[in-house]
Amino acid sequence: MHTTVSSATREVVIGPDQPFCLIGERINPTGRKVFAEALRAGDLSRIAVDVEQQVAGGATMLDVNMGVPLADEAELLAKAVTMIQDLTDLPLCIDSSVVEALEAGLSAYRGKALVNSVTGERERLDAILPLVKEHGAAVIALPNEEDEIPDDPRKRLEITRKIVDVAVGEYGIPLEDIVIDPLAMPIGADSTLVRKTLDTIELIRDEFGLNMTLGASNVSFGMPDRHALGSAFLPMAMTCGLTSAVMDVRTPQIVEAVKAADLLLGNDEWGAAWIAAHRAKKQPA
C-alpha cells in the first residue's frame, strides 16, 4: 500500500517497497527553551537553520510543530508552514494537538500534507478527521484512547480497527491515507516495551497493510548511547513493516543505518543511493 503526500512541486510516496521516509523532527520547540522564547516573541528565524540542517541530513519530509505555551499556535503554525514552503520543496507533516492550529496550518499549506495526529477517542476523531477530509490530507493515527496507551499489542490492533472503520466508513478517507503510529515506548522504562511495539507493527501490517510511522527517539529516551539504540531499532522495525519515522535526521549514524536497511531489504535498486552517498562523503570539502 502506498501513501502519497506532496508539496506544491514534489511528491513523496511512502510504502514497504519504497525507501524509508525520514521525517525530520527538529522544527519543534519542545525541549528547546531558546527556540520557544523566540517563537513566543514572534521570531521564526531559527526555522531557516533547522530546515537547512535537515535537508542536508537527508530528510524526506519535515515535521512542523509550533506548540508554545502562551502563544497563538494557530498563527505561528500558519506562518511557519508558509515560511518553510518558501525555503524547501519537501512535503510537510503538520503537527499539533490543537484543532484550530491544524486548520490554520492546513489552510496555509500548498500540496497534500500529512497531519500529525489523531488518537482513537471518538471526540478526537470527530474533531480532526473532517479537517483531514476537507483538505485532502493524509493522517497519522495513534491506537490509544483517553490518554491510555494499551500494553497489549492486540488491544492496539483493536483500536486501529476502530480508527479505520470511522475514518474510511464514516468520513470517506482513503485507507491508504491512514498512517498508524504503533506507539514506541522507552526501553529504559520497561525492557519488554520495544518488543510490544514490533509485535504491534507486524499485526497491523498483516491485517491492514497500512503504512506506519513513530517517534524514533522515544525508544532510547533516558538511556545512554541513544544513537546506537536508534541505529539498531529502526532497521528492526523496518523488517516488521515500519515505513517511516519522525526522527533527528542530523544524526548520520541513524540515517546511515536506515539507508543500509533500505539496501538490504531491496528498496535501493542496485545500491544506487548507498553508493552515491558513499561517493558524496569522499568528495573534498
Side-chain angles (χ1 to χ4, degrees):
M1 187 178 297
H2 289 162
T3 302
T4 301
V5 293
S6 66
S7 64
T9 56
R10 180 185 290 198
E11 185 176 272
V12 168
V13 179
I14 305 171
D17 59 348
Q18 301 294 309
F20 193 76
C21 181
L22 307 173
I23 305 174
E25 69 180 4
R26 186 64 177 167
I27 308 171
N28 189 326
T30 303
R32 301 177 66 188
K33 184 178 179 180
V34 174
F35 184 36
E37 290 176 352
L39 292 176
R40 197 175 291 115
D43 178 5
L44 279 66
S45 59
R46 174 67 203 188
I47 290 175
V49 177
D50 291 334
V51 169
E52 181 180 9
Q53 291 178 344
Q54 292 182 107
V55 170
T60 316
M61 296 180 63
L62 298 178
D63 186 86
V64 186
N65 182 301
M66 291 285 111
V68 182
L70 305 178
D72 187 335
E73 184 176 345
E75 181 182 2
L76 280 175
L77 191 54
K79 287 182 177 179
V81 165
T82 300
M83 176 182 178
I84 295 164
Q85 290 206 284
D86 288 340
L87 295 170
T88 181
D89 64 352
L90 294 183
L92 301 185
C93 181
I94 299 177
D95 183 355
S96 178
S97 60
V98 178
V99 174
E100 293 77 12
L102 285 176
E103 185 170 15
L106 286 167
S107 296
Y109 188 70
R110 304 187 302 275
K112 179 181 178 180
L114 179 61
V115 170
N116 188 10
S117 56
V118 68
T119 55
E121 294 100 330
R122 185 68 208 217
E123 181 180 353
R124 294 297 293 172
L125 292 169
D126 289 338
I128 292 172
L129 292 182
L131 284 177
V132 173
K133 178 64 175 179
E134 177 186 352
H135 292 276
V139 62
I140 296 171
L142 287 71
N144 64 283
E145 295 177 319
E146 299 172 355
D147 299 324
E148 177 188 3
I149 297 176
D151 194 52
D152 184 355
R154 295 194 174 277
K155 176 62 176 177
R156 298 182 194 179
L157 178 63
E158 179 184 325
I159 299 172
T160 298
R161 289 193 194 103
K162 170 189 171 181
I163 292 169
V164 168
D165 287 346
V166 174
V168 177
E170 298 185 27
Y171 287 99
I173 294 170
L175 183 63
E176 61 269 21
D177 284 344
I178 302 169
V179 178
I180 299 297
D181 181 337
L183 301 171
M185 304 298 291
I187 189 70
D190 182 340
S191 59
T192 69
L193 291 176
V194 168
R195 179 68 260 176
K196 289 173 181 175
T197 297
L198 297 177
D199 289 345
T200 303
I201 294 170
E202 290 179 329
L203 288 170
I204 293 170
R205 177 198 62 191
D206 292 346
E207 179 159 338
F208 294 105
L210 292 169
N211 285 303
M212 283 172 275
T213 195
L214 45 69
S217 62
N218 293 351
V219 170
S220 61
F221 183 79
M223 294 294 284
D225 299 323
R226 296 186 66 184
H227 294 166
L229 291 173
S231 299
F233 169 72
L234 281 175
M236 292 169 64
M238 290 166 69
T239 65
C240 295
L242 191 73
T243 50
S244 67
V246 181
M247 56 185 286
D248 189 349
V249 296
R250 302 171 307 151
T251 309
Q253 183 179 357
I254 300 178
V255 173
E256 287 182 357
V258 167
K259 297 297 185 182
D262 272 335
L263 172 59
L264 297 173
L265 291 171
N267 292 340
D268 178 6
E269 190 172 6
W270 300 107
W274 183 259
I275 294 167
H278 172 76
R279 288 174 175 167
K281 286 189 293 185
K282 295 297 182 181
Q283 292 293 325

